[in-house]
Amino acid sequence: MEDFNRNEKQQFFSTIKGVLKETQIGDKFSSITLEVGHERPRLVNMVIKNALLEKVKSSLILEKKLSIAYYLTSRKTADKWSTMANVLNISTTD
């Protein structure tokens, strides 16, 4: 895996593997949805910057297996906490 983590503050990240089910393109940020799990498959939505999405757009094919490096962030708005999975890197798996 190449050196994809340019943020010195973000030292720890996780990886997840799943099948690409959906992509949604927004103005600044987009999202991709993976199906993960074996016995009880579930959908996981991940936030991705448009700049990174443009780099990997050609390899994003529905029903293709992906491995994604990400980190979690949380914020509180209107007395409600929300947590987002922010994508650092996307690679295809066999």
Side-chain angles (χ1 to χ4, degrees):
M1 196 181 303
E2 64 186 75
D3 182 27
F4 56 84
N5 190 3
R6 306 264 186 244
N7 184 352
E8 293 177 7
K9 293 179 182 178
Q10 185 61 49
Q11 296 297 319
F12 302 100
F13 53 89
S14 300
T15 57
I16 189 170
K17 292 181 181 180
V19 177
L20 181 65
K21 290 295 182 181
E22 182 180 352
T23 59
Q24 294 179 349
I25 299 174
D27 294 332
K28 290 185 180 180
F29 296 96
S30 298
S31 67
I32 55 177
T33 303
L34 294 179
E35 183 180 87
V36 299
H38 296 284
E39 293 179 17
R40 276 188 32 200
R42 57 206 172 276
L43 298 177
V44 176
N45 190 37
M46 310 201 70
V47 178
I48 183 171
K49 291 182 180 178
N50 284 345
L52 177 59
L53 183 65
E54 288 298 321
K55 289 181 185 178
V56 297
K57 197 174 193 178
S58 62
S59 65
L60 294 181
I61 300 170
L62 291 179
E63 302 299 323
K64 193 169 192 175
K65 291 183 181 179
L66 300 177
S67 176
I68 297 178
Y70 68 96
Y71 65 96
L72 298 176
T73 58
S74 296
R75 65 180 179 167
K76 188 175 185 179
T77 54
D79 293 329
K80 181 181 175 186
W81 283 94
S82 63
T83 302
M84 291 190 299
N86 300 282
V87 175
L88 289 170
N89 188 34
I90 299 175
S91 58
T92 57
T93 61
D94 293 334

